Amino acid sequence: MISQNLLQSTTQKCTTGCPILDRLLRGGIPCDSITEIVAESGSGKTQICLQLSLHAQLPVSHGGLSASALYLHTEFPFPFRRLHQLSLSFRSSNARHLPCNDNPCDRVYVQSVHSADELLEIMSKTESFIESSKTQLPVRLIVIDSIAALFRSEFDNTPVELKRRSSLFFKISSMLKALARRFNLAVLLTNQVVDMVGPNEGINGLRIGNLGCLYTSGRRVCPALGLAWANCVNSRLFLSRHEEVNREENGKLIGESGGFVCKQTRRKLYVVFAPHLPESSCEFVITREGLFGVEITAC
């Protein structure tokens, strides 16, 4: 029997562009697999997607895939300005590994998607697109940002509609997994969260992964789309954000005596479930240059 460690070592991964995050993820985002990032708005989901889309262009010897990225976006408008900003930092840090006078943004193919049916149509055409792109850097990363937006209001809460929605979940994931296997792609999806009510036992009363429930901005949340969708992805990561108020040495809040209250946003990445990763977490920050890990701690 092939050991789990050997399987991990033979699975190619795409660097996130940060050594600390790569260490947490044991090399980055894996190929031949679907990885999902779950978080509330403003937590850094899109930042990671943009950063990964650029770093996929690096040579394999430096953690990349020597590849382009297909970026399917459902949240509008697409952040072209932020992609350009990140590309300047990316090119500055990796100039010796990139072609001269090359714009990294040109290797990120952006396509808008407005519905689940349109996504299926695009997926059916993606195979030929990937094959035709081999004249340049081949496409080996697919990003969907976000999957939840396609199901936000299109379906009613009836048994028939819920069954149709679940069917679309499995069609989409099956097509993505087939593409990932055939072309050894890395697939990265983002998902939103919903406020959680009821017992502290995870989604629909079931514990999913390492974490029984998730907290962000002082709220207890769970991933959108429910248990049916959770079974469609191979790995799930969670980003949390919390506002902290800095305190003076005497224990009083700044501002109690007429000063200013100083708030700081703390962000953390958690491994919820993944076949190749242990239960772990990492604090991170978002800067002009990108998203970077701060430290790794046990959950």
Side-chain angles (χ1 to χ4, degrees):
M1 181 180 292
I2 300 176
S3 70
Q4 184 69 13
N5 288 337
L6 181 58
L7 286 173
Q8 292 174 17
S9 65
T10 57
T11 301
Q12 189 174 3
K13 299 182 178 69
C14 182
T15 177
T16 62
C18 170
I20 295 177
L21 295 180
D22 283 351
R23 187 161 66 248
L24 177 81
L25 301 175
R26 293 191 173 175
I29 302 300
C31 294
D32 193 15
S33 181
I34 298 179
T35 301
E36 179 193 59
I37 298 177
V38 177
E40 67 172 316
S41 177
S43 297
K45 301 188 300 296
T46 297
Q47 302 287 331
I48 292 183
C49 291
L50 296 174
Q51 193 162 306
L52 197 77
S53 297
L54 293 170
H55 282 80
Q57 301 173 36
L58 289 176
V60 173
S61 59
H62 288 79
L65 301 175
S66 295
S68 300
L70 174 61
Y71 200 116
L72 306 177
H73 72 104
T74 66
E75 304 281 1
F76 305 100
F78 180 80
F80 284 106
R81 184 174 179 180
R82 180 56 172 159
L83 176 62
H84 175 69
Q85 185 180 61
L86 290 174
S87 73
L88 296 178
S89 174
F90 168 71
R91 180 156 186 79
S92 175
S93 302
N94 300 280
R96 66 185 182 279
H97 305 308
L98 302 172
C100 295
N101 302 317
D102 183 68
N103 183 356
C105 295
D106 293 340
R107 307 302 185 200
V108 181
Y109 303 111
V110 179
Q111 173 67 53
S112 61
V113 186
H114 298 84
S115 69
D117 290 327
E118 185 179 1
L119 176 60
L120 283 174
E121 183 179 349
I122 291 173
M123 287 291 97
S124 66
K125 300 176 181 177
T126 299
E127 185 173 330
S128 59
F129 174 75
I130 292 175
E131 290 178 330
S132 66
S133 70
K134 288 182 178 179
T135 54
Q136 303 174 3
L137 288 182
V139 172
R140 291 196 54 209
L141 170 66
I142 294 179
V143 174
I144 302 179
D145 183 21
S146 74
I147 190 70
L150 298 177
F151 297 90
R152 183 178 292 147
S153 58
E154 187 176 336
F155 299 87
D156 295 327
N157 191 26
T158 65
V160 173
E161 286 290 273
L162 292 176
K163 183 177 180 180
R164 185 167 77 92
R165 191 179 77 154
S166 295
S167 177
L168 281 172
F169 287 168
F170 291 116
K171 283 182 181 179
I172 291 170
S173 64
S174 294
M175 295 177 79
L176 288 171
K177 288 175 181 177
L179 287 170
R181 284 193 299 269
R182 176 169 181 184
F183 298 102
N184 196 27
L185 304 176
V187 179
L188 181 64
L189 313 176
T190 68
N191 192 2
Q192 299 162 357
V193 298
V194 294
D195 288 337
M196 185 173 174
V197 295
N200 186 10
E201 295 294 341
I203 303 171
N204 296 335
L206 297 175
R207 180 185 174 96
I208 303 297
N210 297 321
L211 304 175
C213 59
L214 313 173
Y215 290 89
T216 185
S217 295
R219 297 152 41 220
R220 190 158 58 100
V221 300
C222 65
L225 305 183
L227 183 59
W229 176 252
N231 290 321
C232 292
V233 300
N234 301 109
S235 304
R236 170 171 281 171
L237 309 176
F238 172 64
L239 307 183
S240 69
R241 63 193 301 267
H242 300 283
E243 298 287 343
E244 288 191 351
V245 178
N246 289 340
R247 297 176 179 273
E248 294 179 330
E249 291 184 2
N250 60 9
K252 292 184 178 180
L253 290 175
I254 298 175
E256 285 185 353
S257 301
F260 294 97
V261 174
C262 181
K263 291 185 178 180
Q264 178 185 14
T265 300
R266 298 192 65 176
R267 307 172 189 271
K268 208 166 186 180
L269 183 153
Y270 296 86
V271 175
V272 180
F273 63 78
H276 62 294
L277 298 176
E279 182 176 354
S280 53
S281 64
C282 175
E283 193 165 328
F284 68 92
V285 295
I286 299 175
T287 68
R288 180 183 179 86
E289 290 73 27
L291 189 150
F292 301 100
V294 175
E295 62 183 0
I296 296 178
T297 59
C299 277

